[in-house]
Amino acid sequence: MSYAISIGFLILTALHVQPALSALRPSMMSPLYGPAVAESGLGILLHHRAMGFALVALCCLTAAFVPAIRQPVLVLTGWSMIGFLIAYWLGGAPSGAIQRIVLADMVCVPVLVFLAWAVWVRG
């Protein structure tokens, strides 16, 4: 079970790596959000968001190998992923490049649920 948990956290790390890298290279935002958004004033907010993704990715990577921090990392990661999905739907579920992010988060929600079960319920 320990390996499955580590793999789950590594999957969540991978989910957050691409948007996190755009903190270092803002040009990487265009494929994620569309060129018009990345080059507008919203680009600053997205750059800040990318720094948050870097934090989440680093925490997930660490949690893959340090069991003591897994619970708070799951809260942080769940807040990020589920919060984004809720914001997306409350925002009218816009189309465009952002739908790839929604799909990626939705694909990884079962990983998040598995990890929550494995870390909290199973212990």
Side-chain angles (χ1 to χ4, degrees):
M1 179 61 79
S2 174
Y3 288 116
I5 292 171
S6 292
I7 290 168
F9 276 106
L10 291 174
I11 290 169
L12 294 180
T13 300
L15 173 70
H16 291 89
V17 165
Q18 184 180 7
L21 289 175
S22 65
L24 300 172
R25 296 190 62 203
S27 63
M28 294 180 70
M29 281 190 248
S30 293
L32 294 171
Y33 307 109
V37 173
E39 293 169 7
S40 70
L42 287 175
I44 296 168
L45 291 174
L46 293 175
H47 191 249
H48 182 260
R49 184 173 190 258
M51 290 182 219
F53 281 126
L55 174 66
V56 173
L58 181 61
C59 288
C60 287
L61 180 62
T62 305
F65 305 103
V66 181
I69 67 165
R70 288 178 174 162
Q71 288 180 348
V73 170
L74 280 172
V75 171
L76 172 71
T77 307
W79 181 267
S80 174
M81 291 171 60
I82 303 301
F84 171 73
L85 291 172
I86 290 169
Y88 172 77
W89 281 305
L90 289 176
S95 60
I98 199 164
Q99 287 179 325
R100 288 188 296 250
I101 300 166
V102 171
L103 180 61
D105 275 2
M106 287 176 51
V107 165
C108 287
V109 164
V111 175
L112 187 69
V113 170
F114 163 75
L115 288 171
W117 170 80
V119 170
W120 271 297
V121 177
R122 187 164 163 118

